[in-house]
Each structure stands twice: as C-alpha cells, then as structure tokens.
Amino acid sequence: MSNDPLGSATLAQVAIVVHNIDEALRRWADVLGQPVPTVIIVQPGDTVNMTFRGQPSNAQAKLAFFNLGQVQLELIEPMGGASTWQEALDQHGESVHHLAFWVEGMQRSVDFLKAQDIPMMQRGDMGEGQYAYFDAQEKLGVALELLEKKREGRAVG
C-alpha cells in the first residue's frame, strides 16, 4: 500500500457520459475501427445497495465497453434517478466522467481518498465485488472510480 496509496496506479478504465449510447457507440466504433460492443443495463440501485451522496438511489444506466489493451473505454448513458452519471451529464454535457482503478481492500483506498479531501459520492455492489465513485473534480478535474472484484465489506465514505 505504501507504493500505491490509492491501492493501484494501473489505469483500468476511462469513462464518458453520453446522452444516447447507441449513437455514441457507433461514432466510437467508426473511429476505433472496432465492432459496436453490447450494451448492458445495470440493475436498479435498490437491488445493488446503491447510494448517491449518502442517500439510497434507484438509478440505472446503460453501459458499454471497448477493450483497448490494458484500458477499457466505457460509455455510460444515465437512465434516470439520482446518480453521479446524471449529475455529470447535466453539469458538463457529454464528457469524460471518471478514471477507474481495480483495488483490493477498498476501504483502505476510501480512507486514503477521504484524507485527501476526495469524498465518496456513489457506491454499489457489483456481483461479489463493488464499485465506488469519488468526487475529485475540483482536485483532479475528473471523478475517480475504484473497482473491487471481491468485496471485503461495503465501503463507507
């Protein structure tokens, strides 16, 4: 942990929020010369213990991923409900939403970011794992996402 206080220095994803994922996927597929990936609709927030800014949220989103070597390009279309995805789209339009990193022992990373004045703004379960977004817009110009494959406990911000 001392070498990577965040929990990882290996970038896993760059994500962009979009108004219409189908249109955005076609544009990106044309530019990247790749097939259009499958769109996934995430489970409603209440089924994955989602919270947004400390409150339960039932938000959903459409997601799709281009695998670009070590890094995925993720496109996200919010589907309603209070979420970091909708908030970013409303405030900034189509834009880069977050950079994501895989970590183990997410709570240590959450505590480190909190000490850096980068608060958790959204989290949810993801199968046996979990994800959490952090409001680093002022400090870094983009949100951060931590991804954990095997949840040790639900991260608390």
Side-chain angles (χ1 to χ4, degrees):
M1 188 73 174
S2 60
N3 291 339
D4 292 325
L6 179 61
S8 174
T10 303
L11 185 63
Q13 292 176 343
V14 174
I16 299 171
V17 289
V18 299
H19 292 288
N20 182 309
I21 199 165
D22 295 318
E23 291 176 7
L25 283 171
R26 283 192 296 276
R27 292 191 308 261
W28 276 99
D30 288 347
V31 169
L32 296 172
Q34 293 199 1
V36 173
T38 302
V39 174
I40 301 162
I41 298 177
V42 299
Q43 294 179 322
D46 63 355
T47 64
V48 295
N49 300 293
M50 181 190 293
T51 58
F52 174 64
R53 301 212 181 268
Q55 300 299 314
S57 173
N58 201 31
Q60 285 184 273
K62 295 178 184 178
L63 311 178
F65 303 89
F66 287 97
N67 291 311
L68 306 175
Q70 170 187 307
V71 177
Q72 286 183 320
L73 173 62
E74 177 182 17
L75 299 183
I76 305 169
E77 178 188 334
M79 294 176 60
S83 70
T84 181
W85 313 303
Q86 189 64 58
E87 181 179 83
L89 195 58
D90 290 346
Q91 291 178 359
H92 307 289
E94 291 192 347
S95 57
V96 173
H97 178 261
H98 70 263
L99 303 179
F101 301 85
W102 285 102
V103 299
E104 294 180 11
M106 186 184 287
Q107 189 62 52
R108 290 186 299 274
S109 301
V110 171
D111 294 342
F112 168 76
L113 288 172
K114 189 173 183 178
Q116 300 295 311
D117 294 321
I118 300 175
M120 185 190 305
M121 61 180 157
Q122 182 172 314
R123 74 144 310 277
D125 295 342
M126 187 177 68
E128 292 185 344
Q130 65 183 319
Y131 72 89
Y133 292 105
F134 298 84
D135 192 350
Q137 189 69 38
E138 283 187 33
K139 194 166 209 162
L140 302 176
V142 67
L144 296 177
E145 181 184 28
L146 299 181
L147 301 161
E148 185 177 47
K149 291 180 182 174
K150 182 88 170 129
R151 186 174 57 247
E152 294 179 5
R154 290 197 173 100
V156 178

